[in-house]
Amino acid sequence: MKENTPELAAAYARQSTHYQQRSIPDQIKALKEAAEKAGRPLPEDLIFTDESSGTTEKNRAGLEALKKAARDGTLKARGVTHLYYWATDRVARNLLDSLTFEAEMARAGIKCLSVSEGYDVDTLGGKMAFTIRSLLAEAQNKRRAVDIKRGQRSAVMDGKYIFEAPYGYTKNSDKRLCVNIPQAAIIRRMFSLLLSGKSPRQITRIINETGVPSPRGRKWVHSHVLKVLRQETYAGIIVHGLGKRNGPKRYNRDSAIVEPFHHPAIIDWEM
């Protein structure tokens, strides 16, 4: 970077629709003010944002774009020396992710600055504050996950269906499943064919011969029919809280909550 060339800042803002109430525009305004106060211009194209919900780290395109720009030297080439964000829990949800993120930025020659928490990771006190805040964020994230699961369980116990309605059902305004009569007839036909000894592939061919489209509006395929035949939902049962997959195809069913007679059945659940 040439002498007298001003240091530039980059920024990251994220809002969780469930828990973090400070909006992205509000965060950006605060980040711009902090950067400008330090004499570091913050160009609009160096502001990365994400809006997410719940407790997962998926679909953070803005954060991934920021990391990529740091890794491939784009930020360094622009003269970025500092990254501003509102709070530690905006960039990571646990200590390991926080330390990994800070180290990744440091390798790119970028200092991390939390505007609301006021620490500078270049100082010993700042590193300690960063670590403590990361631990707090991890604890808060775990508590939120428990709260979300508790709320989902309560909804299930109240007869509500918290997922997208499966083929054969619609959801009413109270989030309860109602039978879709034409689609339910197709579901019953599939199970009837299965009980008569037909294989899932044979069932797929027979249903396609009727001209009835799949949920995607196309022909039925073997995997779609298998999914229907494996769904406890059609027997009026809801299975909730399966947890993480044990490998690419298996869920942990030991942790599941099974609620029979949760909604109207399409098939006899003794089938």
Side-chain angles (χ1 to χ4, degrees):
M1 192 166 55
K2 296 180 180 180
E3 190 176 355
N4 297 326
T5 300
E7 297 178 345
L8 288 186
Y12 177 72
R14 183 181 71 84
Q15 181 186 23
S16 167
T17 55
H18 285 301
Y19 289 99
Q20 295 164 350
Q21 299 304 314
R22 193 177 183 95
S23 69
I24 288 177
D26 282 348
Q27 290 178 52
I28 291 173
K29 180 181 178 182
L31 302 181
K32 281 184 174 180
E33 289 175 354
E36 290 170 3
K37 185 176 180 180
R40 302 182 185 106
L42 176 54
E44 291 293 330
D45 65 330
L46 292 179
I47 300 174
F48 301 83
T49 63
D50 282 313
E51 183 168 337
S52 61
S53 62
T55 61
T56 65
E57 302 301 312
K58 297 179 180 178
N59 302 321
R60 292 196 182 184
L63 186 61
E64 290 306 313
L66 168 61
K67 292 178 180 179
K68 183 178 183 298
R71 285 194 300 266
D72 64 20
T74 300
L75 297 183
K76 184 176 181 180
R78 292 284 302 274
V80 174
T81 59
H82 290 73
L83 172 69
Y84 289 81
Y85 45 81
W86 179 247
T88 304
D89 64 0
R90 298 310 198 263
V91 296
R93 288 293 185 86
N94 59 59
L95 180 58
L96 178 60
D97 287 348
S98 295
L99 295 176
T100 301
F101 178 79
E102 190 272 332
E104 192 168 3
M105 293 299 111
R107 284 195 295 272
I110 299 170
K111 298 178 182 179
C112 294
L113 294 173
S114 169
V115 172
S116 68
E117 295 159 343
Y119 62 72
D120 180 343
V121 295
D122 268 2
T123 66
L124 178 60
K127 285 186 179 295
M128 290 178 64
F130 180 79
T131 301
I132 292 169
R133 291 289 182 178
S134 299
L135 287 169
L136 288 172
E138 183 171 0
Q140 290 169 352
N141 186 46
K142 289 178 179 177
R143 189 186 69 242
R144 290 167 185 166
V146 170
D147 289 344
I148 289 172
K149 288 179 180 178
R150 185 181 295 117
Q152 290 175 342
R153 174 67 190 272
S154 176
V156 169
M157 296 294 287
D158 193 36
K160 296 179 180 179
Y161 195 78
I162 61 177
F163 314 105
E164 182 181 352
Y167 183 83
Y169 289 99
T170 58
K171 278 203 297 188
N172 63 19
S173 58
D174 291 328
K175 297 184 179 180
R176 285 172 166 77
L177 289 181
C178 303
V179 175
N180 180 311
I181 302 300
Q183 292 179 1
I186 301 301
I187 299 296
R188 293 190 185 101
R189 179 84 190 280
M190 288 183 182
F191 278 94
S192 177
L193 288 167
L194 182 68
L195 291 175
S196 72
K198 301 295 184 184
S199 71
R201 292 191 184 278
Q202 290 174 316
I203 295 171
T204 303
R205 177 178 54 79
I206 293 169
I207 296 300
N208 280 329
E209 287 174 353
T210 68
V212 174
S214 73
R216 297 181 181 179
R218 304 171 187 171
K219 285 188 174 183
W220 288 86
V221 297
H222 177 239
S223 60
H224 291 164
V225 172
L226 273 177
K227 184 177 180 181
V228 167
L229 297 175
R230 289 171 174 168
Q231 283 236 38
E232 296 100 332
T233 309
Y234 298 123
I237 302 168
I238 184 168
V239 180
H240 171 63
L242 287 169
K244 296 181 179 179
R245 288 179 184 267
N246 295 328
K249 296 294 183 181
R250 297 179 63 82
Y251 281 106
N252 177 14
R253 299 187 71 86
D254 292 339
S255 65
I257 300 165
V258 180
E259 293 292 339
F261 314 111
H262 175 268
H263 52 268
I266 290 177
I267 62 168
D268 186 329
W269 74 298
E270 292 183 353
M271 263 188 171

